[in-house]
Amino acid sequence: MKQDFIDGIGRHDTPFYYYDLDVLHSTLHAIAATQPVDSIVHYALKANSDLRLLSIIAQRGLGADCVSGGEIQRAISAGIHPQHIVYSGVGKTDREIEYALSCNIDCFNVESLAELQVIDSLAAACGKIAPVAFRINPHIDAHTHHYITTGTSETKFGIDISQLDQAIECAVALSHVRLRGLHFHIGSQILSLEPYCMLCSTINRLQEQLAERGIDIDYINVGGGLGIDYDSPDENTIPPFAQYFDIFKKQLQLQPGVKLHFELGRSIVGQCGSLISRVLYVKEGVDRDFVILDAGMTELIRPALYQASHLIENLTSQAEVQPYDIVGPVCETSDTFGSHIMLPTTHRGDIIAIRSAGAYAQSMAMTYNSRPLAPAVYSE
Ligand code: LLP
């Protein structure tokens, strides 16, 4: 964290999200330097749809992966061209589909046959042909948290790989959809690259099957999911993009004319953000001491929802370390950022940074307990 930022923290009300734009720029630079030629990276807005971050991402030429009409609107207002927008989600509403059609987005990632039929009829009603790809559930276990596993057969996402033939028949029979290809997303915070190797072999196999059936495609979307280092954000600020992209460069055999799409969220914005909070009280308990912050699960729900751990730092004390339970002010026992966390001796008024909070923090914020939404502060 930059020293001049720490020195100036007193000027800001807490809690707030702090975004280091240099980190964002370096991350985007690393992606551009390593992504496969002729591929497009769509930024997954669900990770963080802050307009300042989005406009930097847009200026770098990334596309957008959206999961609601609201996200499509935000992506466009940040300067992302609709032809670089893809739209996923198991529950697209009629109004959202109509809006996406009116914007002429690049592709609908379709998650069920029921949805395909609705897209076809809404496209017919406005005299358009909707570009679609099937989101296929490839039965790959990405070994990540249960709540963010999406590629196995018992999740609500995608069309099961065993139902692909039926889906193709259905798409071919409909006159207002054009099947462009296949979409996959096997999970999030994936730290082993092995599941991506398995994904490449599945895609190679499916492409052949499609070619045998005479189906011409121009779109393969491998989703997102590349994880970040929550324990050592300063040592591993930039995720291992080169190794990640290398797998696709080496193992994916794309048919001629097929464009490769990625949908990365966390790995793009995760490390540029921190949640900054003030210590309200240090409370001596029976067998532990609690540091009670003015930020809680309302600003960062990941620890409460997924038992996620984020590095916690006291920015204003250099005293001897001792263990604390770090908790928020919300009336829920799960409003805890960590137990037995070693911090320098901490006092009321100290400033605490909860690191790696650029992704799925501000975008998942809520107003429970009638708490106001926390603002964002930028390094420039
Ligand atoms: N594409 C699709 C279809 C997705 O569902 C997701 C994330 C992404 C791309 C982007 O994945 P990423 O590169 O960010 O891993 N709130 C959870 C994460 C939920 C991810 C949902 N889908 C968390 O805080 O860990």
Side-chain angles (χ1 to χ4, degrees):
M1 200 142 296
K2 294 189 179 75
Q3 191 56 45
D4 55 342
F5 163 69
I6 296 174
D7 297 341
I9 278 176
R11 293 197 306 269
H12 301 284
D13 277 343
T14 47
F16 61 89
Y17 301 94
Y18 170 72
Y19 294 114
D20 186 329
L21 301 184
D22 290 341
V23 170
L24 179 60
H25 281 294
S26 323
T27 309
L28 292 167
H29 179 78
I31 291 175
T34 51
Q35 75 181 92
V37 190
D38 266 350
S39 67
I40 173 161
V41 176
H42 299 263
Y43 169 63
L45 264 77
K46 61 179 86 63
N48 190 327
S49 54
D50 175 90
L51 281 179
R52 178 95 183 258
L53 303 188
L54 262 185
S55 61
I56 293 174
I57 291 168
Q59 278 160 22
R60 287 282 185 143
L62 276 78
D65 159 42
C66 299
V67 288
S68 70
E71 284 191 352
I72 296 176
Q73 219 163 19
R74 261 178 119 76
I76 292 173
S77 66
I80 296 179
H81 195 280
Q83 272 299 300
H84 290 161
I85 294 179
V86 296
Y87 179 23
S88 308
V90 293
K92 303 176 181 80
T93 67
D94 292 19
R95 190 173 291 183
E96 288 175 316
I97 294 168
E98 283 160 357
Y99 173 64
L101 284 167
S102 74
C103 296
N104 293 321
I105 63 160
D106 186 40
C107 198
F108 290 81
N109 294 327
V110 171
E111 310 230 11
S112 64
L113 291 190
E115 178 195 328
L116 183 72
Q117 278 151 356
V118 170
I119 293 178
D120 181 74
S121 67
L122 294 174
C126 63
K128 294 200 168 179
I129 309 266
V132 300
F134 287 132
R135 173 168 177 179
I136 298 299
N137 186 335
H139 298 194
I140 293 171
D141 187 350
H143 305 295
T144 180
H145 190 279
H146 178 60
Y147 284 2
I148 49 179
T149 295
T150 49
T152 56
S153 52
E154 73 271 24
T155 74
K156 67 178 175 179
F157 298 103
I159 295 173
D160 196 81
I161 199 164
S162 62
Q163 298 171 328
L164 177 59
D165 274 349
Q166 187 194 348
I168 291 172
E169 272 161 35
C170 183
V172 170
L174 294 171
S175 52
H176 288 83
V177 292
R178 178 169 71 86
L179 179 58
R180 289 191 50 203
L182 303 175
H183 170 232
F184 306 83
H185 174 70
I186 57 174
S188 197
Q189 184 52 16
I190 299 176
L191 292 171
S192 145
L193 295 177
E194 182 58 29
Y196 290 113
C197 300
M198 292 161 69
L199 178 62
C200 288
S201 0
T202 303
I203 295 174
N204 292 340
R205 189 160 47 78
L206 290 181
Q207 265 193 131
E208 273 173 28
Q209 278 175 23
L210 289 172
E212 278 162 20
R213 296 194 50 164
I215 309 280
D216 241 354
I217 60 167
D218 66 1
Y219 176 101
I220 289 288
N221 184 330
V222 295
L226 178 64
I228 61 171
D229 189 340
Y230 281 98
D231 298 327
S232 312
D234 292 322
E235 289 76 14
N236 295 312
T237 310
I238 310 287
F241 292 115
Q243 290 97 309
Y244 168 75
F245 286 130
D246 241 27
I247 291 184
F248 298 96
K249 286 181 197 167
K250 294 196 174 125
Q251 304 194 15
L252 206 55
Q253 290 144 15
L254 288 182
Q255 314 259 345
V258 173
K259 184 156 179 144
L260 180 56
H261 298 248
F262 294 90
E263 293 173 345
L264 296 171
R266 185 191 321 263
S267 53
I268 298 179
V269 290
Q271 298 292 30
C272 77
S274 296
L275 174 60
I276 308 294
S277 169
R278 256 191 192 80
V279 176
L280 293 174
Y281 305 102
V282 178
K283 170 172 164 175
E284 284 183 30
V286 179
D287 62 350
R288 63 191 71 202
D289 292 344
F290 295 93
V291 168
I292 303 174
L293 302 179
D294 64 3
M297 62 192 288
T298 39
E299 288 71 43
L300 174 66
I301 200 176
R302 303 192 66 259
L305 198 56
Y306 319 115
Q307 299 87 44
S309 96
H310 288 244
L311 184 67
I312 302 173
E313 293 172 336
N314 185 328
L315 300 182
T316 43
S317 166
Q318 265 105 46
E320 290 265 302
V321 294
Q322 63 179 87
Y324 293 102
D325 277 20
I326 317 289
V327 302
V330 175
C331 296
E332 295 283 341
T333 309
S334 59
D335 184 28
T336 296
F337 290 120
S339 288
H340 303 291
I341 304 293
M342 299 305 287
L343 281 188
T345 303
T346 295
H347 302 282
R348 171 174 166 82
D350 282 355
I351 300 290
I352 302 291
I354 303 179
R355 304 290 307 279
S356 311
Y360 304 111
Q362 193 175 359
S363 63
M364 294 179 80
M366 59 177 167
T367 57
Y368 182 43
N369 287 189
S370 297
R371 288 167 57 79
L373 291 173
V377 170
Y378 309 89
S379 58
E380 287 159 9

